[in-house]
Amino acid sequence: MALCVPACSPAVRFCQKLNRLKTLEDDVMATSLKRCLSTLDLALLGVGGMVGSGLYVLTGTVAKDTAGPAVVLSFVVAGVASLLAALCYAEFGARVPKTGSAYMFTYVSVGEIWAFLIGWNVILEYMIGGAAVARAWSGYLDSIFNHHIQNFTESYVMRWDVPFLAHYPDLLAAGILLLASVFISFGVRVSSWLNHIFSTISMLVITFILVFGFMLANPANWSAQEGGFAPYGLSGVMAGTATCFYAFVGFDVIAASSEEAEDPQKAIPIATAISLGLAATAYILVSTVLTLMVPWHTLDPNSALSDAFFRRGYSWAGFIVAVGSICAMNTVLLSNLFSLPRIVYAMAEDGLFFSVFSRVNPVTKVPVVAILVFGSLMALLALIFDLEALVQFLSIGTLLAYTFVAASVIVLRFQPDRTGGAAGGGGAKTDASSATSPGQPAPQGLVQPAGSETQTLAQDGGELKEYESFSDKLQLVEREKAVRERRAPGTLQARWEPYLGRALGDWEPGEVVAFSVLALMVSAVSLSCVAVFGTTHLHLPIWSFVLLLVVFSLAFIISLFLIWVHEQQTNTKTFQVPLVPFIPGLSILLNVFLMMKLSPLTWIRFTIWVAAGLLVYFGYGVWHSKEGQREQLGQDVAARYVVLPSGSLVQTVQNVQPDGHAHTLATHTPGSSEPQDSR
């Protein structure tokens, strides 16, 4: 067994390299970007990212084909489900105000390779999402002009018949993407003002639709004669929920913009709540108006709102709806083009992606190279690919990002504080060799007192105090008892010590939580697989189907319980998700369930894209990682100060030796001239 350790150590070190965590600056507000976005700017960015073409197309499609008028309930449930993920993003955006969104959150809590894969998939999601919206924008504008643009292109430019490709090059879609990329490269202020203009017009049009639509509402359209409120039953409502959930994808642009927010600790949570509330209200009320104006089974899925006004005799209102639709799609386009380069910039800044994309223009304070290159790639996708082929790629990367962000909230909340910095105030960064990283147990023998405990010790650290009276001694005993009961994050709560102390008490802080989060993910995947494929693809008998559901449900609940019985970090300075780990756990289960509902072809494409990402990571990222360079340039000596029982301050120095060499430990007492060898 001893011979295996040297042989296995390179593999162990390589695995540790893949799971290293990002070291944050002590001053998390420091940035090369420009902090100029207010809460209103962020809220409008979020609204623009969520309220797009889905409001004008998705409502009619789900109402006619899936849920009927009960699409209202589908949007309510989808809004609540999206809130679970949005809360997790809000906590991280306020706590880690750095650009990169889900990539950055995963990097500081789970590990490097997982963060790269999340970022790599989010890049694809943004590229395809932007290209798909540009194609929809072009098609909608073309329909207003009676398809003259398409006919001209096919007749005088080019036409081809190739699978997965469009029948003709969509020059209009590519052109709008290139034009938007140029505007965004002028700076965050220009992007914000463009979004303000389009969002304001879009909200005015939505207000017009609601006011005028409720004037034309006919409650008989929800009556039994027209099929009732929920003609497809509860299954239709839930199927509609799965589709409506994707209408709220886009709030992560707020977290992606946190490095450019003026006051991210306050602005990110408030903007997330406002934008999600406005988007949910818009979707719910518009779907209500739409199904009350005309019978749900007569809706035109392609242009439900404009067709509804036309059939009620107000064809001029269709022009206003068209203007609102164009403006709404513009906001989504800006949201994608705004977020994508910042994800790329964050990855390049950390050394995991090509360094050219980390260059920030000194005048505009934005990553111009990343904006123009990926804007051009997005335009190329929109130019040659069909809209349906693009949309099939969507969703899986977003759901995977939501899952990892929810898991990261749990991991970071129950891990010991990442306290670092040199004694005596030397170093601006948290030293990776002395910090306690989330996802890893605290170094053995290193005790991290809570802030209040440190304050208590500091207050008592002046003169030695002599306790003579009984009341003084009683006060001392009570204070020592309170200090002992104040446990570090990740340790078992005192009230559960009599019941679970023997089984869980000897684990390092955070270890049980880390294993429980892994068990939570595995049980969520297993439970979702059984629920989705048990009676169809797997053809399980009823008894085994029910048994597996019960077993995996119990495993999921037990994992949540084991996490819950441990101490959490208490941070009142920034927003925190309530009811942890239950809200993030429920978000994980919901996201995994929706991922299992995706088509097999989507999973095949996802696997191919991940394989390409791994080639990039192992070919470039792992060797140029800034965290890897920091480890190589780290000090050869790690020093810590400890207080001995006698009360004297002692510095322990540990020399870092290659494998196979003995470690030396020396102690040095301030005031003495020579260290004392204590091997």
Side-chain angles (χ1 to χ4, degrees):
M1 186 67 183
L3 296 175
C4 180
V5 174
C8 296
S9 58
V12 172
R13 286 198 301 271
F14 186 70
C15 290
Q16 291 174 344
K17 182 184 295 186
L18 300 183
N19 288 283
R20 56 195 168 201
L21 304 176
K22 180 175 176 61
T23 304
L24 294 174
E25 302 279 350
D26 278 351
D27 183 10
V28 293
M29 296 293 288
T31 177
S32 58
L33 303 178
K34 185 178 181 180
R35 290 196 178 274
C36 60
L37 295 178
S38 64
T39 303
L40 177 62
D41 297 329
L42 294 170
L44 289 178
L45 276 174
V47 171
M50 286 183 280
V51 181
S53 57
L55 186 73
Y56 300 88
V57 179
L58 189 65
T59 49
T61 302
V62 176
K64 182 174 183 179
D65 300 333
T66 310
V71 64
V72 176
L73 298 180
S74 296
F75 275 116
V76 171
V77 178
V80 173
S82 300
L83 180 63
L84 301 179
L87 289 173
C88 299
Y89 272 81
E91 172 169 337
F92 262 113
R95 188 170 182 176
V96 187
K98 294 291 183 182
T99 192
S101 190
Y103 155 77
M104 180 63 63
F105 306 155
T106 307
Y107 202 173
V108 300
S109 57
V110 179
E112 183 174 284
I113 188 172
W114 308 108
F116 177 86
L117 291 178
I118 292 296
W120 182 252
N121 281 285
V122 170
I123 288 174
L124 180 65
E125 295 294 316
Y126 278 128
M127 288 181 62
I128 291 176
V133 171
R135 294 281 308 194
W137 184 93
S138 170
Y140 201 91
L141 193 64
D142 190 31
S143 66
I144 295 177
F145 293 103
N146 206 14
H147 300 289
H148 287 314
I149 300 174
Q150 177 181 348
N151 295 334
F152 178 84
T153 306
E154 290 181 348
S155 301
Y156 297 99
V157 180
M158 186 182 298
R159 175 184 170 86
W160 54 63
D161 292 306
V162 181
F164 301 110
L165 297 184
H167 296 303
Y168 65 97
D170 197 334
L171 300 175
L172 187 59
I176 190 63
L177 281 169
L178 292 175
L179 182 63
S181 299
V182 172
F183 274 112
I184 287 178
S185 65
F186 288 155
V188 65
R189 261 294 156 216
V190 176
S191 307
S192 178
W193 277 110
L194 279 175
N195 184 73
H196 282 198
I197 294 171
F198 290 126
S199 295
T200 302
I201 297 174
S202 179
M203 287 190 289
L204 289 175
V205 172
I206 292 172
T207 304
F208 165 79
I209 292 172
L210 295 178
V211 173
F212 197 35
F214 273 117
M215 292 172 60
L216 301 175
N218 182 10
N221 291 324
W222 283 9
S223 64
Q225 288 79 7
E226 299 292 347
F229 178 73
Y232 296 97
L234 181 61
S235 60
V237 173
M238 298 312 297
T241 298
T243 305
C244 295
F245 179 81
Y246 301 114
F248 296 98
V249 170
F251 60 78
D252 53 335
V253 66
I254 299 175
S257 311
S258 59
E259 193 164 338
E260 291 159 292
E262 293 175 340
D263 187 7
Q265 282 78 14
K266 293 182 179 179
I268 298 297
I270 295 174
T272 302
I274 292 174
S275 61
L276 192 61
L278 289 176
T281 302
Y283 278 111
I284 292 168
L285 292 181
V286 168
S287 59
T288 302
V289 165
L290 180 62
T291 52
L292 284 174
M293 285 177 61
V294 295
W296 61 270
H297 51 81
T298 63
L299 291 171
D300 181 3
N302 296 321
S303 55
L305 280 169
S306 58
D307 181 67
F309 282 109
F310 176 79
R311 289 168 54 193
R312 293 301 299 267
Y314 299 94
S315 56
W316 56 268
F319 176 76
I320 298 178
V321 172
V323 171
S325 178
I326 294 292
C327 290
M329 284 188 272
N330 283 339
T331 60
V332 177
L333 208 60
L334 289 172
S335 174
N336 280 273
L337 283 169
F338 186 87
S339 302
L340 173 59
R342 283 153 177 80
I343 302 272
V344 175
Y345 161 78
M347 297 175 67
E349 183 73 11
D350 292 333
L352 303 186
F353 207 48
F354 305 112
S355 60
V356 66
F357 297 122
S358 65
R359 296 178 184 173
V360 175
N361 186 280
V363 178
T364 61
K365 299 292 184 181
V366 292
V368 174
V369 176
I371 291 172
L372 296 179
V373 169
F374 281 88
S376 301
L377 291 175
M378 197 182 293
L380 181 63
L381 287 178
L383 180 70
I384 63 176
F385 280 100
D386 186 26
L387 178 60
E388 293 183 1
L390 289 172
V391 171
Q392 290 177 359
F393 274 102
L394 287 173
S395 306
I396 189 167
T398 302
L399 292 172
L400 188 67
Y402 287 0
T403 302
F404 268 83
V405 169
S408 299
V409 167
I410 300 176
V411 169
L412 202 58
R413 183 73 69 85
F414 288 88
Q415 289 301 321
D417 295 326
R418 297 181 68 178
T419 56
K429 295 182 182 295
T430 302
D431 193 346
S433 65
S434 62
T436 303
S437 303
Q440 300 171 351
Q444 191 170 3
L446 178 60
V447 180
Q448 297 178 334
S452 56
E453 179 180 342
T454 306
Q455 184 179 4
T456 303
L457 294 177
Q459 290 173 351
D460 294 344
E463 301 178 359
L464 290 176
K465 203 168 183 179
E466 185 176 354
Y467 292 88
E468 296 180 351
S469 66
F470 178 77
S471 60
D472 286 341
K473 293 181 179 180
L474 184 61
Q475 182 181 3
L476 177 62
V477 170
E478 291 295 330
R479 184 164 53 187
E480 290 178 349
K481 180 181 178 182
V483 169
R484 286 196 303 269
E485 291 179 352
R486 193 179 300 120
R487 302 187 173 210
T491 57
L492 188 64
Q493 294 179 12
R495 59 177 172 172
W496 295 103
E497 187 73 37
Y499 311 102
L500 301 174
R502 181 168 297 182
L504 305 178
D506 294 335
W507 291 70
E508 292 290 337
E511 276 189 341
V512 175
V513 173
F515 283 113
S516 298
V517 170
L518 179 61
L520 187 75
M521 302 277 278
V522 172
S523 59
V525 171
S526 304
L527 180 60
S528 300
C529 286
V530 173
V532 174
F533 306 117
T535 57
T536 54
H537 297 75
L538 299 178
H539 303 290
L540 295 175
I542 295 298
W543 67 268
S544 60
F545 175 73
V546 174
L547 178 63
L548 289 176
L549 284 180
V550 171
V551 169
F552 291 130
S553 298
L554 286 175
F556 185 82
I557 294 172
I558 291 173
S559 300
L560 284 177
F561 174 76
L562 290 178
I563 298 171
W564 177 66
V565 298
H566 287 79
E567 295 285 352
Q568 299 185 33
Q569 292 183 8
T570 55
N571 179 14
T572 58
K573 295 181 180 179
T574 60
F575 171 79
Q576 285 191 316
V577 180
L579 300 177
V580 173
F582 302 107
I583 286 181
L586 188 58
S587 179
I588 290 172
L589 182 60
L590 174 66
N591 297 328
V592 171
F593 177 80
L594 292 176
M595 289 171 68
M596 294 299 121
K597 300 282 284 185
L598 298 175
S599 66
L601 191 58
T602 302
W603 281 98
I604 293 173
R605 291 166 176 157
F606 169 74
T607 304
I608 295 173
W609 181 251
V610 168
L614 290 175
L615 289 177
V616 174
Y617 176 72
F618 287 111
Y620 181 88
V622 72
W623 311 110
H624 295 82
S625 169
K626 296 288 182 64
E627 290 302 318
Q629 296 174 6
R630 185 176 288 114
E631 290 176 359
Q632 293 175 1
L633 297 176
Q635 298 177 349
D636 291 336
V637 175
R640 291 188 181 89
Y641 288 92
V642 299
V643 180
L644 296 182
S646 61
S648 60
L649 184 66
V650 175
Q651 181 185 9
T652 62
V653 182
Q654 185 174 0
N655 295 321
V656 179
Q657 301 286 354
D659 291 338
H661 294 266
H663 293 280
T664 61
L665 180 66
T667 60
H668 174 70
T669 305
S672 64
S673 58
E674 297 294 336
Q676 304 167 4
D677 192 0
S678 60
R679 274 183 293 180

